[in-house]
Amino acid sequence: MTRARQAAVPPEAEYAAFERAFARAWTSRPDVCGTAWLVFAAQPARLRVAGKRLSDVYLRAFSHLRIDEPARGPALTIDVWDEEEAGVGMDGLEADPDLSARGETFVSGDGRVVVTARAQTRTVFDRERRHIVGWVGSSARLTQYEMGRPLHAELLLWHRDRDVQAVHAGLVARRGDGLLLGGPGGSGKSTIALCCLNAGYRYIGDDYVGVRGLADGGFVGHSLYCSTHLEPTHLKRFPWLEPHAIPGALPREDKSLVMLSEVRPDRLGRSARIRAVVLPRVVDVDRSSFRPASKVASMLRLAPTSLLQLPYAGVAVHEFEKLTRFVETVPTYWFDLGRDFEDIPKRVGDILDMHA
Amino acid sequence: MLSAESRVDPNVAEVAAKVIDGEAIIMNLSSGLYYSMDNVGAAIWELIARRYSVREVTDVIADRYRVDRERAAGDVQRLVQELLDEHLVAPTTLDRERVTTPSPSAPPPPYEPPRLQKYTDMADMLALDPPMPNLRDGANAAG
């Protein structure tokens, strides 16, 4: 069980043990090891993976964030190994055969080291060193969630430490000008994002976006993943995605996962300046339309899912205040989502024309 | 027991709130419940957040909205009690903030009894990632 060790090993000691184990994996099987450089929130990150299959999983989710090795050092280092491929395990650490088991998190007394345990993975994040070290039992048994959003909790926390707020929203862009799509699941964020991607816009995300304030008072949104999760009936409305759909294996995985890096890699973007926010609503009409929304309507749609579902929700007061500054600054519209998918990007274009 | 001289404070350990354009949004980050109030309710929230007593809030509301003081007193009492019941505020012995309450530049909208709108849709929703219950914002936590 991945959770067997936690009581005996403090997070700080676990970090040191994981570092040693990763070093063994890295040196013992160089034939399955590889390094990639990524960019998160405009800052370079070095990803080292011991395990070819595991590397494929991660790079499918992050392919649009790959960069050449930069001159400056990494703002984040991620070292992960796959026990099955690298042949390096740790005493007492076994994968949980129950993939539906709920994860757990343990935090050192000073808040510096965070251990995140899931059925097939266990990571240790030293926030001061900006270093995530992770073990994967078998990359062949990762959940759909772990494939689509690798290291989700860890990356959200790293972004938060860099003053980049994770907002539960989508983001599409045209010539660097972005439209943030806010709202709970099922409100139409993915529909707008995918229709826009198909029409030639840049797709930056449809689930979580990192938002950072700029010195001039504006805001920029950053991509985390290029994955999208669609319900079966929803997927049928995007036939060009269906051949790439990865169905869920667990009862809770009721959506299909699509890695957009395999569909339209040329349409994926890393970041955009946020010019406006739209709050989608599915309505029973053909043509889409939009009209101004109040600031509190915007907060009511953005804040609950952005803040209350975060792993660090209990200390998210600072995030709430940042989100209010964002909402007060950026124009917001209700977006009544019609049935005509070709019309949707045109209305998005109308909004960007007003604010870009 | 709530009296006319009672003062309450937002429960800042768990609650984040903001009044924007005359509407209030209040989130309890621990319970997952969130709330909104418009018009009179938002005005009352701004006053109690400055630790105005129940009587002082009543005076301001009755004056601002030109409403019968008895009626305002009943509405303020009821709302403050509801905020206490929801653990959004807690009694305090601290004095009122010594800042001047700016007079609204425009006439207020017509008086309506304040109403705390409660949203429960997030309360039972599990976070996708395991929560980090003991995470702190220590200055040295992040490099």
Side-chain angles (χ1 to χ4, degrees):
Chain A
M1 301 283 284
T2 59
R3 284 164 286 170
R5 289 164 52 89
Q6 75 215 12
V9 183
E12 298 91 330
E14 191 158 357
Y15 171 74
F18 267 53
E19 268 203 311
R20 290 192 297 273
F22 174 78
R24 286 202 306 277
W26 188 254
T27 51
S28 66
R29 286 294 307 274
D31 54 312
V32 298
C33 294
T35 301
W37 284 84
L38 308 170
V39 60
F40 292 116
Q43 299 181 57
R46 188 183 67 189
L47 171 67
R48 295 193 299 179
V49 186
K52 275 192 190 311
R53 253 192 347 239
L54 183 61
S55 180
D56 288 345
V57 169
Y58 280 22
L59 292 180
R60 278 199 301 174
F62 298 130
S63 72
H64 62 308
L65 303 179
R66 290 190 75 166
I67 55 172
D68 293 333
E69 183 172 347
R72 62 180 165 133
L76 171 68
T77 301
I78 304 169
D79 292 329
V80 285
W81 82 98
D82 180 338
E83 177 175 343
E84 196 171 77
E85 282 192 90
V88 172
M90 294 182 70
D91 288 344
L93 184 58
E94 291 176 26
D96 190 334
D98 178 11
L99 294 182
S100 62
R102 180 146 170 77
E104 290 183 273
T105 300
F106 313 95
V107 183
S108 63
D110 60 1
R112 173 176 161 171
V113 181
V114 178
V115 179
T116 305
R118 304 179 184 90
Q120 284 287 328
T121 64
R122 190 175 182 96
T123 65
V124 188
F125 178 20
D126 186 322
R127 298 163 69 195
E128 190 170 307
R129 291 172 192 255
R130 294 170 293 175
H131 188 194
I132 299 167
V133 197
W135 162 88
V136 176
S138 167
S139 52
R141 284 180 53 75
L142 291 174
T143 64
Q144 191 189 57
Y145 178 67
E146 289 168 317
M147 287 191 285
R149 300 169 184 151
L151 307 170
H152 192 240
E154 299 88 330
L155 287 176
L156 293 191
L157 184 56
W158 176 84
H159 279 77
R160 178 179 190 263
D161 289 341
R162 311 265 86 69
D163 215 24
V164 180
Q165 179 163 17
V167 176
H168 185 226
L171 181 62
V172 293
R174 186 186 67 186
R175 295 188 290 277
D177 295 313
L179 191 70
L180 193 87
L181 318 168
S187 60
K189 298 190 302 292
S190 296
T191 300
I192 297 178
L194 293 169
C195 288
C196 285
L197 176 146
N198 202 33
Y201 285 75
R202 292 279 176 178
Y203 172 103
I204 292 168
D206 74 2
D207 191 43
Y208 275 92
V209 172
V211 174
R212 176 160 51 192
L214 299 170
D216 64 5
F219 292 88
V220 63
H222 297 284
S223 179
L224 275 93
Y225 304 109
C226 64
S227 55
T228 187
H229 292 75
L230 297 170
E231 289 174 357
T233 53
H234 199 190
L235 180 65
K236 287 190 186 309
R237 301 202 66 188
F238 298 96
W240 46 283
L241 293 179
E242 281 192 277
H244 305 277
I246 303 166
L250 302 174
R252 68 163 185 255
E253 294 177 338
D254 54 350
K255 296 182 176 180
S256 290
L257 168 67
V258 179
M259 308 303 295
L260 294 169
S261 52
E262 297 181 343
V263 186
R264 291 305 303 257
D266 56 316
R267 299 268 171 88
L268 303 178
R270 294 175 185 158
S271 61
R273 193 179 176 102
I274 300 171
R275 299 296 186 182
V277 175
V278 297
L279 311 174
R281 297 185 296 195
V282 178
V283 294
D284 189 23
V285 296
D286 287 328
R287 303 289 297 276
S288 296
S289 61
F290 59 89
R291 59 187 170 80
S294 75
K295 302 297 184 191
V296 163
S298 187
M299 276 299 281
L300 286 171
R301 295 275 281 191
L302 283 174
T305 53
S306 292
L307 302 181
L308 297 174
Q309 282 193 287
L310 291 175
Y312 46 82
V315 292
V317 173
H318 182 53
E319 277 66 30
F320 178 90
E321 290 166 0
K322 282 197 294 184
L323 198 56
T324 59
R325 283 198 292 278
F326 172 74
V327 163
E328 287 178 303
T329 304
V330 182
T332 307
Y333 298 90
W334 288 112
F335 194 97
D336 288 344
L337 200 57
R339 285 184 289 267
D340 181 352
F341 276 15
E342 289 188 8
D343 183 55
I344 291 170
K346 295 173 187 165
R347 301 291 79 77
V348 167
D350 291 342
I351 297 173
L352 287 175
D353 285 345
M354 292 192 297
H355 296 290
Chain B
M1 181 68 186
L2 204 58
S3 76
E5 302 311 316
S6 297
R7 296 177 200 279
V8 295
D9 235 357
N11 179 9
V12 291
E14 298 178 347
V15 171
K18 179 78 174 176
V19 175
I20 312 172
D21 296 340
E23 292 182 81
I25 177 169
I26 307 163
M27 295 184 68
N28 186 325
L29 298 167
S30 294
S31 70
L33 299 170
Y34 61 106
Y35 309 79
S36 68
M37 292 192 288
D38 61 8
N39 193 10
V40 180
I44 293 173
W45 178 267
E46 284 191 307
L47 294 167
I48 63 175
R50 293 178 191 147
R51 295 193 293 274
Y52 277 51
S53 69
V54 169
R55 180 180 54 76
E56 290 163 340
V57 174
T58 300
D59 289 343
V60 172
I61 294 297
D63 181 54
R64 185 181 296 173
Y65 289 90
R66 302 192 183 288
V67 67
D68 178 71
R69 199 183 177 289
E70 290 279 309
R71 185 184 177 198
D75 286 343
V76 170
Q77 284 263 356
R78 176 184 52 74
L79 182 66
V80 173
Q81 187 60 54
E82 202 176 349
L83 295 170
L84 282 164
D85 293 345
E86 294 291 330
H87 306 292
L88 300 177
V89 297
T92 180
T93 55
L94 294 174
D95 286 340
R96 173 181 145 184
E97 274 185 20
R98 290 296 160 195
V99 292
T100 308
T101 306
S103 300
S105 52
Y111 185 83
E112 297 168 342
R115 193 168 72 91
L116 183 66
Q117 176 74 46
K118 182 176 178 180
Y119 304 87
T120 60
D121 54 314
M122 295 296 296
D124 297 327
M125 195 172 284
L126 287 175
L128 295 170
D129 293 298
M132 302 171 178
N134 302 315
L135 192 72
R136 296 194 324 183
D137 275 331
N140 298 322

